[in-house]
Amino acid sequence: MSFDKEKLRRAAEKNLAQGKIQAAIRDYTQLAERDPRDYNTLNTLGDLYVRVSAKNEAIKCFERIAEYYDTQGFTHKAIAMYKKIARLKPDDIKISARLAPLYQTLGLIAEARTHFLSVADFYQQKGDRLPALEIWHQIADLDPGDVQTRLNLAENYVKENQLEKAVEAFTESAASLLAKKRFEESLAAFSQALRINPDYLPALAGATDAHIALGFPDEAIEKLENAQGEARGEAQYYSLLGRCHLELENAAAAENAFLSLIEKDHSGYKKLLDVTKIYVKNGELAAALRTLEFCTEFLLTGNQEADLEFWLTEILTRDPEQIKALHLLARLHSWNRNELQLKEVLERTVEAARLNELEDEEKNALSELRLLFPSETKYAERLRELGVEIAEDAAAVTPEFHADQTVPSFETFAGFDEESDQHSFQILSSSEETGNSPWNFSEQAVQIENSESPAQYEDFQVQNNFTTQAEVEETFDFGQVAIEFEEKPDPTNYLAQELESIDFYISQGYNELALESLLQVEAQFGQHSEIDARREKLQPPVVEQKTPTVGFSTPVGEQNGANHYDETAAHLNGNSKQKPASTNGNVLGVNPNFADLFEEFGEDLEVSGLETQQTADFETHYNLGLAYKEMGLFDDAVEEFQNAAKMVAASDGTPRYLQCCNLIGHCFVEKGMPELAIKWYQRGLDAPGHSDEEYQALRFELGMAYEKAGEKDKAIAQFTEIYAVNVAYRGVGEKLKNLQLIG
């Protein structure tokens, strides 16, 4: 015999209407067994079990529904269902354990805290302190600014020998205090963390910030030097150490710290510019040039030529005849293909060398000038004066600057003087071995002497990318420079390949990835019709924009049965979305058996950061109210709708306030309290700035409430006003006829 679901449902409804509850339970049980995913039926069955005081059976039904809503992300409905269970079994701690994270998901902090406190109290009464502390950790996470709770938590972790968790809790508390500029308190908390673990880098970093803010970087150095373990293997450690030395303007110590940083993180070279600044400020130009020389290639390949030029200019302003600075400036202009400025620097070098009687420097600079500018005979003449023999046709081989010429290199490297404990840097001329001038950028052989280099330099490598006609990769291992030339791919073919990839992304629906790739291709190739064509494919359709509103019906995806107020909702027009929020709530009282732990966390919950937050969101309360209403929890629904109504203005240009008034009225009608419903419908009608259709919907509900309250004349007055505007509105004509006949 086939199963007729609709026939059985009609039979169940008939039995229910006739008050045959047990028969209805049998029918609904069969329906639920045949279709386990029919949660409407399961909810009805649970309600029937409640009516016959079969609480355990009702709870089983409600738990199945609640777990389904929870796993499907229907948070509001899951909360509503768990609250139904809580009313049947108010002392079940598992319900609080389920409700707490759900409220947290919605941002309802006070409600989440209340249930977390219940769970913590439960564990404490059982003597399970560690699970209780874990719940307190979750309570602390509800409010990152709740410093005192987290500090108490850390102290209790210490008592339970949970030292790793204690360090994290102390550090998190200290970070919150630091953000609030409560530096001394912050430092005290960081210090507690470091007493347990001197190598904990987050605490070392925070303590460094606090010490510097208080003007005691030397004390931060002491804490850093106390670290003996894994911290010294991290780049951040040397960054912190160097920063402290910079604060003390101890440039040499900062330089050593940052060189250790660069060994682990090459991007740390930028820190050496801060060291350069101090050296220049103190007039130590040779030291400033040492650090700047080390940074030169990093700065050039990192598109930071302006920084290099700024500090070279600062040094040459103080010492115009500083040959090494002129070398680096020439390297900069060579890199930038700036022929005229390169000429000016080389001529300045010639003059500086002449004044300082540095004949070899003068010869080298003149030789480069002669090669670059053969038409100017003065360079050759001066070379002859210096005793340099010059072939007559030598000028004919002068290289020229072209846009596709490989970038010349004028390399700088670091050596180390162990006796002085100072890093020293040299530009090594290749002229002794090759006969070439160190100014001959196109042929210079690059070498370095590192026989006495410290271990930190032995494996140090830097990869720089040069883009001209060819791509040059230079690997500096402080022993040699390996230069490889690789032809760049044909741009046309490369563009075609990229567009083919983008077409694949579009065909598979990966629009975000396709758009990101388009932006990258456009940045490389510029505007292109093929790029524009694909961008058009990714444009969303134009949709008329309307003011977002929140409606009365259950949110899309959470619908579970029809709402009897759908017609009114249609007139007030809306949908709802979930947003995280916070709200008011009652904080659970402290159980005497939990007093020892509560005392540690602060007897005054407001002092310990457990004060109620007033950052709730309209839609969160509104959606929760909808869920409560659908589950028949009318008191809870009214509370949520009232909270939502408080968060909006009656005339804010949206129907939100009217929606709240309407739903509160519906709840009171369902509770058999039409007099209270009338008050809320009237509030909605008194709110200014809404459409005639919205007011018409509320008038109809008001008329219905008057009818239920037995105030027939007032009901007729409302329906008559509606009838005068629209005789077909929701059967108002028939309604008036019936009321007047009754009269």
Side-chain angles (χ1 to χ4, degrees), residues 86 125 159 166 215 286 315 342 394 442 451 479 504 563 605 627 657 678 741:
Q125 290 186 46
K159 292 177 183 178
I315 292 170
L342 177 59
S442 60
S451 59
F504 173 76
N563 294 290
L605 296 183
Y657 182 77
I678 289 168
L741 284 174

Side-chain angles (χ1 to χ4, degrees), residues 700-711:
F700 189 88
E701 300 299 334
L702 179 59
M704 295 287 288
Y706 277 133
E707 183 179 0
K708 288 182 180 293
E711 299 188 49

Side-chain angles (χ1 to χ4, degrees), residues 400-420:
E400 296 181 0
F401 280 86
H402 298 290
D404 60 352
Q405 182 180 351
T406 300
V407 178
S409 64
F410 186 84
E411 312 297 351
T412 63
F413 297 93
F416 188 80
D417 185 347
E418 290 182 339
E419 294 181 359
S420 63

Side-chain angles (χ1 to χ4, degrees), residues 450-688:
N450 66 344
S451 59
E452 298 183 358
S453 298
Q456 70 185 77
Y457 290 119
E458 292 178 0
D459 299 323
F460 184 74
Q461 294 186 335
V462 183
Q463 189 175 51
N464 296 318
N465 296 320
F466 301 84
T467 304
T468 56
Q469 183 179 0
E471 183 174 271
V472 182
E473 293 184 356
E474 300 183 23
T475 303
F476 301 87
D477 62 359
F478 294 98
Q480 62 180 357
V481 176
I483 304 179
E484 299 180 2
F485 295 89
E486 181 179 339
E487 292 297 324
K488 294 180 71 174
D490 183 350
T492 305
N493 292 338
Y494 182 73
L495 175 60
Q497 293 172 5
E498 289 297 305
L499 291 174
E500 184 177 344
S501 298
I502 291 168
D503 287 336
F504 173 76
Y505 295 149
I506 295 174
S507 67
Q508 298 300 311
Y510 303 144
N511 291 353
E512 291 185 5
L513 189 56
L515 185 57
E516 182 179 348
S517 300
L518 275 177
L519 293 173
Q520 293 174 353
V521 172
E522 189 171 46
Q524 184 168 356
F525 294 96
Q527 291 186 335
H528 195 284
S529 59
E530 294 292 334
I531 296 174
D532 293 338
R534 283 154 180 83
R535 181 177 284 108
E536 289 179 4
K537 293 180 180 180
L538 295 171
Q539 293 297 323
V542 178
V543 180
E544 180 184 358
Q545 298 297 316
K546 296 183 179 180
T547 303
T549 58
V550 179
F552 293 164
S553 58
T554 304
V556 175
E558 293 193 21
Q559 291 185 3
N560 187 16
N563 294 290
H564 72 272
Y565 49 88
D566 280 348
E567 291 185 44
T568 305
H571 287 283
L572 295 179
N573 180 26
N575 280 311
S576 64
K577 298 178 182 178
Q578 296 182 12
K579 292 184 180 178
S582 305
T583 186
N584 238 331
N586 296 321
V587 178
L588 188 69
V590 179
N591 188 301
N593 296 323
F594 203 20
D596 62 331
L597 187 58
F598 270 92
E599 183 176 357
E600 294 164 357
F601 283 94
E603 294 180 359
D604 185 347
L605 296 183
E606 292 185 355
V607 173
S608 66
L610 298 178
E611 65 274 359
T612 301
Q613 298 188 2
Q614 294 293 336
T615 56
D617 175 85
F618 169 84
E619 292 183 8
T620 298
H621 286 291
Y622 185 89
N623 289 336
L624 195 52
L626 289 175
Y628 288 153
K629 182 180 183 300
E630 185 174 330
M631 301 303 169
L633 302 172
F634 297 115
D635 288 333
D636 295 309
V638 167
E639 181 182 355
E640 294 302 327
F641 290 136
Q642 287 176 340
N643 284 334
K646 293 174 184 176
M647 296 173 190
V648 293
S651 57
D652 64 359
T654 72
R656 294 182 299 179
Y657 182 77
L658 266 64
Q659 292 164 349
C660 291
C661 293
N662 179 67
L663 286 166
I664 293 170
H666 275 292
C667 290
F668 281 128
V669 167
E670 291 289 338
K671 285 172 60 67
M673 305 170 73
E675 296 83 2
L676 295 180
I678 289 168
K679 292 181 180 295
W680 279 95
Y681 291 137
Q682 193 60 58
R683 285 188 185 185
L685 287 170
D686 291 341

Side-chain angles (χ1 to χ4, degrees), residues 265-295:
D265 179 5
H266 298 161
S267 65
Y269 75 89
K270 299 173 186 177
K271 305 284 188 181
L272 283 178
L273 291 180
D274 295 326
V275 179
T276 302
K277 179 180 180 180
I278 295 177
Y279 279 138
V280 171
K281 176 184 175 183
N282 295 337
E284 300 177 67
L285 300 186
L289 274 168
R290 181 178 66 236
T291 55
L292 196 60
E293 194 173 16
F294 181 81
C295 294

